[in-house]
Amino acid sequence: MDLRDLFYFETIAELGHLGQAAEKLNRSQPALSKCIQRLEESLGTRLFMREGRRIKLTPVGELLLARSKPLRQSIEDTR
């Protein structure tokens, strides 16, 4: 699991929209889709489900988001 992918995941989850996340992160939508795909493959489960044009976290996605924030904060504190 790549920390950059985890940071992108957090942004996508918080915005609930891949296009808006791509704009905020200055990345392309396909690059962010690939990031989510890598995370899902490493965890062996889906992290998002589509709801029209928006995306919503699965229960596993919600758990990952809850655990990723303190992890990222700890890394930032260490730096």
Side-chain angles (χ1 to χ4, degrees):
M1 184 179 309
D2 185 285
L3 291 175
R4 180 186 56 186
D5 287 349
L6 203 54
F7 173 70
Y8 292 166
F9 162 77
E10 286 181 26
T11 304
I12 296 164
E14 289 169 0
L15 294 175
H17 193 278
L18 201 58
Q20 291 173 4
E23 188 174 314
K24 181 176 181 176
L25 295 166
N26 294 318
R27 299 286 179 248
S28 68
Q29 285 185 19
L32 294 183
S33 292
K34 192 68 174 170
C35 155
I36 296 305
Q37 189 176 40
R38 281 191 302 267
L39 283 172
E40 290 177 337
E41 286 174 4
S42 75
L43 296 170
T45 189
R46 296 194 47 95
L47 298 172
F48 292 98
M49 58 186 142
R50 293 217 172 268
E51 286 189 347
R53 300 190 83 168
R54 300 194 59 80
I55 55 176
K56 183 180 174 184
L57 287 171
T58 64
V60 173
E62 290 178 16
L63 181 60
L64 180 61
L65 182 61
R67 292 189 177 183
S68 70
K69 287 183 177 185
L71 175 64
R72 191 166 56 89
Q73 185 61 50
S74 178
I75 290 168
E76 289 176 14
D77 291 346
T78 301
R79 287 184 181 160

